[in-house]
Amino acid sequence: MKITFADKAPKTNLLVSGVYEDGNFGDVTKALDKTAQGAIKASIDNAEFKGKAEKVLRLPSVSGIDGQLVLVGLGDAKKYSPLILEKIGAKLFAALNALREKKAVIDLSDLPALKHHDTAELIAYIASGSLLRSWRFDKYRTKREKDEIPVLAELVFVTPSAKETQKAFETLAAIAEGNHLTRLVVSEPPNVIYPESMTAHAKELTEHGVKVEVLGEKEMEKLGFGALLGVGQGSIRESQLVVMQWNGGPENQKPIAVVGKGVTFDTGGISIKPSNGMEDMKYDMAGSGVVLGLLKSLALRKAKVNVVGVMGLAENMPSGSAQRPSDIVTSLSGQTIEVLNTDAEGRLVLADALWYTQDKFKPQYMINLATLTGAITVALGYEYAGLFSNNDKLSEMLTKAGEQVGELLWSMPMSKVYDKDINSDAADVKNIGSGRGAGSITAAKFLERFVNKTPWAHLDIAGMAWDKAERPLSGKGATGYGVRLLNAFLKDNFEKH
Ligand code: BES
Ligand code: MN
Ligand code: ZN
């Protein structure tokens, strides 16, 4: 999707103008004669369209306008926030896309400014919403009817200052590109995305200035990654640990570490999952997909912060070489783990990835993302990710960042009363609770044993990484949940120096 900004509206077949809830409408239409304006007003008052935010109305023939006029509802300007504007932009993209034009000119130059944002910046948010929504995963659809292939390829936003808008947009576009990369790797099938192909994606970031280091199975064996390697041992794909570093901050700034679960396919292993719905487990690498997308966005926007991104990558397969329920493995931390269910594999991968990260990089904060438990969707559905943390300040920073971008987090209990549920009779810890509920909490309590007092937060994104229903900014499928959240978290708390 090409998005540009202009100080004046160029000639176009498709002109878009804004309408507010109070019935006022935009600059473009003000230039028309009284009859045309009256006709537009009647259309606005009619039907469902009352200028409500996110609604779109198409007027194919208005005298004084060459092509089609599309009115976009801009709602109540008093209620604007960057997020509301991004949603307007996303809806606008979806509506324009349905009109089957190649290009549209969107004149919103009369948008009123907000307290902390001028009009240029607000238009950048609308453009960002359009860009986020424009991504789609259709590379394998080779045989579509011509009229099924989407054509909208260019948006021109008319703004009071094209230069300023462009500047504000560049940061948002970098974040959107990170989000798109995450959605790509999450959407790709597991015969395309496996540990080594994730590594290859990470290596592509070196051209943007990201430092990338990879541990293969041999190196991990030497270092003692017994928990992670156990998960991948039934697969013909080699497990990987990928470390990506973006050092855009001051030299003396301790890094913020972000660690992702990257189970590129989770069959459950010998504790095999039922076949119904197993296909969903292609997105069990979404946590690591977010880490990848985050690092890309940081590099593209040259973020002034030091971040270490770690992906723990393995494929969980049943086979003659797979680990068995009741195996005992020795983790990198030295703690022994009784593997009572090979389907509780994400925590095993993270146990070693988290220990390695805190030990090697001594981060000021460590955050992990994981599609860790089905139980989190029982608790929170598909609206909030679960937030588990040993640090209230970190929880608060993350929750606020999430609210800002519409990637919501709900704090879950981490009380020590849950600890006994994962004590093992045979080893230091077991990888499942006793089955008396609280499955997401016992999983988080398991991870906590591998963070060694580092201020840490675990985001259980099992309900958020993918949506079978439409989401405002991402439509159906992979959401990229986490990339925008972590960008906001880093921008607000660590990049202001
Ligand atoms: N990858 C799954 C969790 C999951 C479920 C992610 C649904 C996305 C959507 C995880 O590895 C898993 O299998 N968890 C088990 C844990 C159980 C064996 C203790 C679960 O949730 O049932
Ligand atoms: Mn599993
Ligand atoms: Zn899993």
Side-chain angles (χ1 to χ4, degrees), residues 135 137-140 182-195 198 261-268 273 277-289 313-316 345 371 465-468 476-479:
W135 185 85
F137 185 68
D138 57 2
K139 61 194 277 199
Y140 298 109
T182 302
R183 283 153 77 186
L184 172 69
V185 293
V186 169
S187 304
E188 286 281 14
N191 56 331
V192 172
I193 282 292
Y194 46 89
M198 282 296 280
K261 168 179 174 182
V263 174
T264 57
F265 195 74
D266 180 14
T267 63
K273 288 180 182 293
M278 196 196 275
E279 65 277 10
D280 287 349
M281 288 303 107
K282 77 166 181 178
Y283 68 77
D284 210 20
M285 38 56 70
S288 66
L313 299 161
E315 186 183 52
N316 190 21
E345 84 299 337
T371 48
W466 188 276
D467 207 324
K468 289 181 170 136
K476 286 183 188 175
T479 62

Side-chain angles (χ1 to χ4, degrees), residues 147-366:
D147 63 1
E148 268 186 1
I149 300 169
V151 290
L152 184 60
E154 186 177 354
L155 299 178
V156 182
F157 287 87
V158 183
T159 114
S161 165
K163 216 172 137 194
E164 254 177 68
T165 315
Q166 176 64 35
K167 206 176 142 222
F169 179 66
E170 263 155 30
T171 303
L172 299 174
I175 296 169
E177 270 198 54
N179 166 283
H180 291 171
L181 174 58
T182 302
R183 283 153 77 186
L184 172 69
V185 293
V186 169
S187 304
E188 286 281 14
N191 56 331
V192 172
I193 282 292
Y194 46 89
E196 282 175 311
S197 61
M198 282 296 280
T199 300
H201 272 285
K203 284 190 173 153
E204 282 181 25
L205 300 184
T206 52
E207 68 175 274
H208 300 293
V210 177
K211 186 172 153 196
V212 180
E213 289 166 318
V214 182
L215 303 184
E217 289 187 351
K218 270 215 186 85
E219 290 92 348
M220 284 194 274
E221 240 161 66
K222 253 195 223 142
L223 292 167
F225 281 63
L228 190 155
L229 288 171
V231 173
Q233 80 185 35
S235 168
I236 57 160
R237 305 291 194 188
E238 184 178 332
S239 300
Q240 308 264 284
L241 188 98
V242 179
V243 178
M244 297 170 281
Q245 283 176 269
W246 171 253
N247 291 318
E251 217 168 296
N252 61 355
Q253 182 191 55
K254 282 213 278 176
I256 292 98
V258 185
V259 181
K261 168 179 174 182
V263 174
T264 57
F265 195 74
D266 180 14
T267 63
I270 296 298
S271 314
I272 197 163
K273 288 180 182 293
S275 49
N276 257 344
M278 196 196 275
E279 65 277 10
D280 287 349
M281 288 303 107
K282 77 166 181 178
Y283 68 77
D284 210 20
M285 38 56 70
S288 66
V290 172
V291 176
L292 179 74
L294 172 68
L295 268 285
K296 179 166 190 183
S297 61
L298 296 177
L300 289 181
R301 68 181 179 82
K302 302 201 166 39
K304 291 192 168 73
V305 62
N306 299 334
V307 174
V308 183
V310 175
M311 305 195 285
L313 299 161
E315 186 183 52
N316 190 21
M317 298 293 275
S319 78
S321 64
Q323 69 180 344
R324 295 136 294 241
S326 79
D327 275 6
I328 295 178
V329 296
T330 302
S331 68
L332 183 63
S333 72
Q335 298 172 86
T336 54
I337 305 168
E338 188 182 15
V339 180
L340 288 176
N341 189 320
T342 64
D343 196 12
E345 84 299 337
R347 64 198 77 181
L348 299 171
V349 169
L350 285 172
D352 283 346
L354 288 167
W355 186 268
Y356 180 77
T357 303
Q358 59 80 30
D359 186 47
K360 177 143 194 207
F361 297 101
K362 313 278 187 268
Q364 52 174 317
Y365 291 107
M366 181 161 69

